[in-house]
Amino acid sequence: MAIRMKEWGMLRAPAPAVRIPVQGVLGWDEVAKSVGDGISSVITGGAALAQEKEEVNAVGDLAEFSQRLHSISAETRAELAGRDVADWEYSWQELSAPRFAEAVAELPPAAREAGRELAEAFSRRAAVQSLRDREVARLGEARDKWKQRVDAAVESGDAQRAETWLQSGAGIFVPQGEMEEERCRVRSGACMSAWRKALQQQPLVALADIREAAPSELPQNKTDKRYFEAEVNRARRDELAKLCSSLAAQVEDEDSFDESELRLARRAGLIDERQLESAMAQPRALTTAERCTWLRKVDDVGIEPESRLALKLDIVTAAVPMKERRELLARLAVAEKVNPRDRQALSRSLWQLYERGSLGCPGDEASLQRLAELQRAGLPVLAEEGPESAARWVEHVRGGGDRWVCFSDK
């Protein structure tokens, strides 16, 4: 219907048209195209992705399968270890082939062919490796048994048997170039074992035999020689202490010495020829001068056990009456309880008094008897009252020296 102008003028003006911004919308066709291509690539690449996934799964299956092969190999090796196998390869295949086949059958179809090839290669290598390990182990066991036989012969001191066993391993367990060195080592070790056994069973006899043995009859190996010398010295100290105690006990009981025991001790080097002759000689009384010398030896002895033991041995083997020896041994027991420096200082003081003529003319019987009396009296003062009292006692003795008149023409 026609609108009259008058009516048009009476109507509201129409609303403005909707405006759609176009800024940034340009190029949408390219975007749409690229998105479409991407979706197309995803769709077309789906088959390849699935194939790769299947291959990844197959690789994982084969890795797990490899662990299974190791387990089968270990089980087979353990079972064959306790058997006396004549044909190793046959026995290996007999035990392992069914297990390998079972493991291959458990793989996915896509991985079975690769698994079968892997199992065959693995089985061949494992069979060779296990056989080699078995032979090495058997060789090691044989070597251990051989070495035990050699060591047992050495330990028993049987040098001939030890060398026989050593020779049986020449070129097998010991290179030919090292045989002479090993032979010397074995011979030296057997020699040391034999002497050690003798020292344990009859130490005094063994010590005597060792002193009289030729160098070739003793251990030659440098290390063996060092240990052997230490053992011999230890045995000698022990036997010397025993000998001293035994002789001292016989002195206390006034028993006569066993000559064979003393001669054996001489052979063993525990006493010298002078001590042997003195011990076997007819006892005689000491002169005053000799008594003073013996008392001085006791007073001057050092703190070392060897020094005291040597003096004790001199006392018990001295050619003097048993009573005199017992007195000297008793004095030695007291001296060991006193400070050696104080004891030696007292001894020097008394001898200085004697040598200076404070006790009379040196060498006179009277002055020697006075010295002996002071020696007997001084040590008990030192032992019971201490060094200060002993020093005052010496000063008191020195103060009476002016009463002596020496008529010596020297």
Side-chain angles (χ1 to χ4, degrees), residues 70-135:
H70 280 87
S71 298
I72 294 173
S73 175
E75 293 171 2
T76 305
R77 178 183 298 205
E79 290 185 26
L80 289 177
R83 299 185 183 182
D84 186 13
V85 180
D87 188 336
W88 181 265
E89 184 176 358
Y90 175 82
S91 299
W92 178 272
Q93 286 297 117
E94 183 181 27
L95 287 178
S96 64
R99 298 170 182 176
F100 284 136
E102 181 181 355
V104 170
E106 293 174 358
L107 289 172
R112 287 177 185 170
E113 184 59 32
R116 185 177 297 105
E117 294 178 1
L118 178 62
E120 291 177 358
F122 185 89
S123 179
R124 288 194 297 270
R125 187 181 66 181
V128 173
Q129 181 70 28
S130 61
L131 178 58
R132 188 188 71 84
D133 293 345
R134 177 186 175 91
E135 294 304 319

Side-chain angles (χ1 to χ4, degrees), residues 68-367:
R68 178 77 182 279
L69 296 182
H70 280 87
S71 298
I72 294 173
S73 175
E75 293 171 2
T76 305
R77 178 183 298 205
E79 290 185 26
L80 289 177
R83 299 185 183 182
D84 186 13
V85 180
D87 188 336
W88 181 265
E89 184 176 358
Y90 175 82
S91 299
W92 178 272
Q93 286 297 117
E94 183 181 27
L95 287 178
S96 64
R99 298 170 182 176
F100 284 136
E102 181 181 355
V104 170
E106 293 174 358
L107 289 172
R112 287 177 185 170
E113 184 59 32
R116 185 177 297 105
E117 294 178 1
L118 178 62
E120 291 177 358
F122 185 89
S123 179
R124 288 194 297 270
R125 187 181 66 181
V128 173
Q129 181 70 28
S130 61
L131 178 58
R132 188 188 71 84
D133 293 345
R134 177 186 175 91
E135 294 304 319
V136 169
R138 283 186 171 181
L139 186 61
E141 291 175 2
R143 186 186 187 283
D144 290 343
K145 290 180 180 178
W146 167 81
K147 188 174 183 302
Q148 288 173 6
R149 300 287 176 82
V150 175
D151 292 345
V154 169
E155 194 66 26
S156 68
D158 191 337
Q160 183 176 359
R161 185 159 61 93
E163 288 192 47
T164 300
W165 277 110
L166 180 66
Q167 188 61 41
S168 68
I172 303 173
F173 304 124
V174 181
Q176 288 291 352
E178 300 177 9
M179 274 300 295
E180 186 57 33
E181 181 181 352
E182 282 298 302
R183 186 176 290 108
C184 291
R185 184 190 65 81
V186 164
R187 189 184 299 119
S188 177
C191 178
M192 182 171 178
S193 296
W195 283 119
R196 180 184 290 126
K197 186 182 298 183
L199 284 170
Q200 292 171 350
Q201 294 174 349
Q202 291 182 302
L204 203 56
V205 175
L207 288 172
D209 291 342
I210 289 170
R211 290 187 76 240
E212 297 169 356
S216 59
E217 297 175 318
L218 301 177
Q220 299 298 308
N221 180 275
K222 185 176 180 180
T223 302
D224 289 342
K225 286 176 68 175
R226 185 170 66 253
Y227 282 110
F228 180 66
E229 289 173 1
E231 291 187 18
V232 170
N233 290 334
R234 183 167 55 251
R236 182 175 290 116
R237 288 194 300 269
D238 293 344
E239 289 306 304
L240 183 58
K242 291 178 182 177
L243 177 65
C244 253
S245 297
S246 173
L247 296 179
Q250 293 176 60
V251 169
E252 291 293 336
D253 297 337
E254 296 191 6
D255 291 337
S256 58
F257 294 154
D258 184 348
E259 183 176 353
S260 61
E261 179 184 11
L262 290 175
R263 293 197 177 281
L264 181 57
R266 173 71 187 97
R267 285 183 55 218
L270 302 186
I271 59 176
D272 55 29
E273 192 64 28
R274 176 188 60 82
Q275 290 170 322
L276 174 61
E277 293 177 357
S278 176
M280 300 308 301
Q282 187 68 27
R284 64 173 181 80
L286 289 171
T287 65
T288 305
E290 290 172 337
R291 183 177 296 107
C292 291
T293 301
W294 272 111
L295 294 174
R296 186 178 190 178
K297 286 181 179 180
V298 173
D299 293 344
D300 290 349
V301 70
I303 61 173
E304 302 83 4
E306 295 81 7
S307 300
R308 297 199 302 269
L309 194 61
L311 178 57
K312 188 174 182 180
L313 190 60
D314 276 342
I315 292 172
V316 297
T317 57
V320 300
M322 291 292 188
K323 180 181 177 181
E324 303 260 18
R325 282 184 259 186
R326 284 197 299 272
E327 290 177 356
L328 290 173
L329 289 175
R331 185 179 184 86
L332 180 60
V334 174
E336 290 176 348
K337 300 176 182 178
V338 178
N339 185 297
R341 289 190 296 272
D342 296 336
R343 173 167 34 83
Q344 292 163 3
L346 175 61
S347 177
R348 284 195 301 271
S349 297
L350 294 179
W351 275 88
Q352 286 172 0
L353 289 175
Y354 166 74
E355 291 169 348
R356 292 173 181 175
S358 298
L359 306 180
C361 291
D364 285 354
E365 182 65 19
S367 64

Side-chain angles (χ1 to χ4, degrees), residues 40-59:
S40 175
S41 297
V42 170
I43 295 173
T44 56
L49 183 62
Q51 183 177 358
E52 290 178 4
K53 182 178 180 181
E54 184 177 353
E55 291 176 358
V56 169
N57 290 336
V59 170

